[in-house]
Amino acid sequence: MFGRLSLNTMTTKRWTLREAVEATAAAGLPAIGLWRDRVAEAGVEQAAKIVLDNGLRVSSLCRGGFLTGIEDAETALDDNRRAIDEAATLSAPELIMVVGGIPDRDLVGARRRLADRLAELVPYAAERDVRLALEPLHPVFCADRAVISTLAQALELAAPHPARTVGVVVDTYHVWWDPALADSVARAGAQGRISSYQICDWLVPMEADPLVSRGMMGDGVIDFGSISALVRDAGYGGDVEVEIFNESVWATDGVEILETMKQRYRELVLPAL
Amino acid sequence: MFGRLSLNTMTTKRWTLREAVEATAAAGLPAIGLWRDRVAEAGVEQAAKIVLDNGLRVSSLCRGGFLTGIEDAETALDDNRRAIDEAATLSAPELIMVVGGIPDRDLVGARRRLADRLAELVPYAAERDVRLALEPLHPVFCADRAVISTLAQALELAAPHPARTVGVVVDTYHVWWDPALADSVARAGAQGRISSYQICDWLVPMEADPLVSRGMMGDGVIDFGSISALVRDAGYGGDVEVEIFNESVWATDGVEILETMKQRYRELVLPAL
């Protein structure tokens, strides 16, 4: 029943990597999505061993990106190469890319720099068998986090590169509002580019900081049945990763979060997969 | 120099309609955008007279819409017919439509209801020579204010109706992030559907409530030169309306707001028009 469900370590933010891995395995889940800060705390080789020893796979590594700066291009590229190396060591097939916002008012320029720097990273990632998974973020984050705002735009950026090297992320929080969603998900699937399906809910009213306004599935307004059906019809058969940024979730005991997450997945997502 | 600049009454929220009209005329602006609450306070006939007596034109009336409810369809349609009547009395050529959010989790259904109810209103508006101006709102408002999230989607909704009866609004705050913006503005212009060009800035960091996070042009991250050039190249020659929802702007003296608005318009917008 939970053969595709993955815990993203951000959802249980207070746990160390080892705590998260062991609890995920104990909850009967097969996969875990890792953030680099938790990996760094454990050390990347050790993190890989902890995951392996507990019989889990790594659904994705979060995150590379922040490639839109004006003066720090080499620093950013170096950091992305390190993230690719870490993903390879962790046997994470997908490196989630949160590509960065706008350093000035030139949004078109920032998007152009992103395309150029992505092209620089692709060969390095391909050699290590890591796919760069471009994540469109909700347009509320366009200024400060990601100039990729729609799945259609992510596909356009991915187009020059083979599907095995550049994919796209479908995260319900970021794409649920998109009037072109059905078409874009179908195209992403037809191209074999769906790197990851991440789920969490859009709360109404929002929290003051949209970054931590994500909710557990069922606590907000997203129709998980419809979006999951789009992803299924697009041929995606990979993991379904639960990634929630939310202070009250973070204040909850991790084992309880895992139980709620399994229950909501079974009720709201699984019937459509 | 200010022959196309219009004050939206929301920008000087503390003013009565008469105060806003008189100050706008005194500032040398030719036009004003009216909200229905201020019009109602004055009485619609009296409001029309105040505007006329001061030699202004009404760039738009805000707003109709909220058409996506499930059980209150007739009430909403009645209110929209009243708004159309008011626009006609005020000689407002454009009625801005903020179309409403989702009453449940069925976003596709809400968008379908919207299309149906829009079709019901079009003949009524056309008879009174009022254009229904569909406003895409930033996707951060999709749940609670407007299920139209992009200009492309607004054009799709407008498509079944003649351009003289259904137009679209280009509001910088709502559309600046859109990767398809250049294409959509060009198509809107080619179809003769640009009803209104509204301007204000996207502040970083945002205010806790995105509704009142709009800023004066130049105080945020929007590139007014680029977007204004798109609107110009699309053939739009109508008014440029400044509509700012922001507590600190609202706390400022209205005459000062008008002066700042003129200065920023001259520096940031006018060179591209």
Side-chain angles (χ1 to χ4, degrees):
Chain A
M1 178 170 293
F2 300 113
R4 296 172 62 187
L5 184 57
S6 175
L7 173 75
N8 182 292
T9 56
M10 190 55 83
T11 306
T12 52
K13 191 184 179 184
R14 294 186 305 172
W15 272 347
T16 63
L17 183 116
R18 180 182 293 279
E19 287 170 332
V21 167
E22 291 179 352
T24 299
L29 306 193
I32 190 160
L34 302 178
W35 272 69
R36 289 179 72 199
D37 53 352
R38 289 286 164 277
V39 171
E41 283 164 13
V44 61
E45 302 283 350
Q46 183 62 18
K49 185 172 180 318
I50 293 170
V51 172
L52 195 69
D53 288 350
N54 282 275
L56 297 186
R57 62 177 174 262
V58 178
S59 48
S60 73
L61 179 65
C62 297
R63 60 183 190 216
F66 289 91
L67 288 166
T68 53
I70 291 174
E71 289 176 351
D72 53 357
E74 273 315 310
T75 311
L77 288 169
D78 280 346
D79 185 60
N80 276 275
R81 289 186 199 102
R82 276 195 300 277
I84 291 164
D85 291 340
E86 290 168 26
T89 304
L90 293 161
S91 302
E94 313 278 351
L95 176 64
I96 309 286
M97 302 288 282
V98 173
V99 298
I102 46 175
D104 56 14
R105 293 188 173 89
D106 181 11
L107 177 56
V108 173
R111 286 171 169 160
R112 198 180 309 120
R113 286 193 297 280
L114 167 61
D116 293 346
R117 292 173 192 168
L118 177 65
E120 288 199 53
L121 288 174
V122 163
Y124 191 91
E127 278 168 26
R128 284 149 187 85
D129 233 9
V130 171
R131 178 150 74 167
L132 302 176
L134 302 178
E135 180 160 20
L137 257 55
H138 191 288
V140 76
F141 301 113
C142 184
D144 52 1
R145 304 195 94 77
V147 296
I148 302 184
S149 306
T150 63
L151 204 49
Q153 183 197 359
L155 288 173
E156 202 169 307
L157 269 161
H161 310 290
R164 66 176 184 79
T165 64
V166 181
V168 298
V169 179
V170 179
D171 181 320
T172 55
Y173 186 75
H174 295 305
V175 304
W176 71 276
W177 58 272
D178 185 351
L181 186 62
D183 176 62
S184 294
V185 171
R187 285 195 297 127
Q191 295 174 21
R193 289 200 197 262
I194 302 181
S195 288
S196 174
Y197 180 39
Q198 295 184 327
I199 57 175
C200 73
D201 216 333
W202 180 274
L203 301 179
V204 176
M206 291 174 67
E207 299 289 334
D209 180 355
L211 191 65
V212 293
S213 183
R214 300 175 180 223
M216 183 61 73
M217 299 80 75
D219 288 352
V221 299
I222 291 179
D223 179 354
F224 288 94
S226 295
I227 299 180
S228 298
L230 294 179
V231 170
R232 172 200 66 204
D233 292 346
Y236 179 73
D239 292 323
V240 181
E241 205 178 275
V242 177
E243 186 190 39
I244 302 176
F245 295 58
N246 181 300
E247 298 290 348
S248 66
V249 170
W250 289 337
T252 306
D253 172 62
V255 172
E256 196 182 315
I257 296 173
L258 272 164
E259 283 312 304
T260 307
M261 180 181 132
K262 286 165 68 176
Q263 181 197 331
R264 301 293 176 83
Y265 174 78
R266 193 174 54 224
E267 288 170 12
L268 301 172
V269 179
L270 196 57
L273 283 182
Chain B
M1 177 170 292
F2 300 113
R4 295 172 62 185
L5 184 57
S6 174
L7 172 75
N8 182 292
T9 57
M10 190 54 82
T11 305
T12 52
K13 192 184 178 183
R14 293 187 305 173
W15 272 346
T16 64
L17 183 117
R18 181 181 292 279
E19 286 170 332
V21 167
E22 290 179 352
T24 299
L29 306 192
I32 190 161
L34 302 177
W35 273 69
R36 289 179 71 200
D37 54 352
R38 289 286 164 278
V39 171
E41 284 165 12
V44 61
E45 301 283 350
Q46 184 61 17
K49 185 171 179 321
I50 293 171
V51 172
L52 196 70
D53 288 351
N54 283 275
L56 297 186
R57 62 179 174 262
V58 179
S59 47
S60 73
L61 179 65
C62 297
R63 60 182 190 218
F66 288 91
L67 288 166
T68 54
I70 291 174
E71 288 178 352
D72 52 357
E74 272 314 311
T75 311
L77 288 169
D78 279 348
D79 184 58
N80 276 276
R81 288 186 199 102
R82 276 194 301 276
I84 291 164
D85 290 339
E86 290 168 26
T89 303
L90 293 161
S91 302
E94 313 280 351
L95 176 65
I96 309 285
M97 302 288 283
V98 173
V99 299
I102 46 175
D104 57 12
R105 293 188 175 87
D106 180 11
L107 177 56
V108 174
R111 285 171 169 160
R112 197 179 310 120
R113 287 193 297 280
L114 167 61
D116 293 346
R117 292 173 193 168
L118 178 65
E120 287 199 52
L121 288 175
V122 164
Y124 191 90
E127 278 168 26
R128 284 150 187 84
D129 233 8
V130 171
R131 179 151 73 167
L132 302 176
L134 301 178
E135 180 159 21
L137 256 56
H138 192 288
V140 76
F141 301 113
C142 184
D144 52 0
R145 306 194 93 77
V147 296
I148 302 183
S149 305
T150 63
L151 204 48
Q153 183 197 359
L155 288 173
E156 203 168 306
L157 268 161
H161 310 290
R164 65 176 185 78
T165 63
V166 181
V168 298
V169 179
V170 179
D171 181 319
T172 54
Y173 186 76
H174 296 306
V175 304
W176 72 276
W177 59 272
D178 185 353
L181 187 62
D183 175 62
S184 295
V185 171
R187 286 195 295 128
Q191 296 174 20
R193 288 200 197 263
I194 302 180
S195 288
S196 175
Y197 180 38
Q198 295 185 327
I199 56 175
C200 73
D201 216 332
W202 179 274
L203 299 179
V204 176
M206 291 173 67
E207 298 289 333
D209 179 355
L211 190 65
V212 294
S213 184
R214 300 175 179 224
M216 183 63 72
M217 298 79 75
D219 288 353
V221 298
I222 291 178
D223 179 354
F224 288 95
S226 295
I227 299 180
S228 298
L230 294 179
V231 169
R232 172 201 66 205
D233 292 347
Y236 179 72
D239 292 322
V240 181
E241 206 177 276
V242 177
E243 186 189 39
I244 302 175
F245 295 56
N246 181 301
E247 298 290 349
S248 66
V249 170
W250 289 336
T252 306
D253 172 63
V255 172
E256 196 182 314
I257 298 172
L258 272 164
E259 283 313 304
T260 306
M261 179 180 132
K262 286 165 68 176
Q263 180 197 331
R264 301 294 177 83
Y265 174 79
R266 191 174 55 226
E267 287 169 13
L268 301 172
V269 179
L270 196 57
L273 283 182

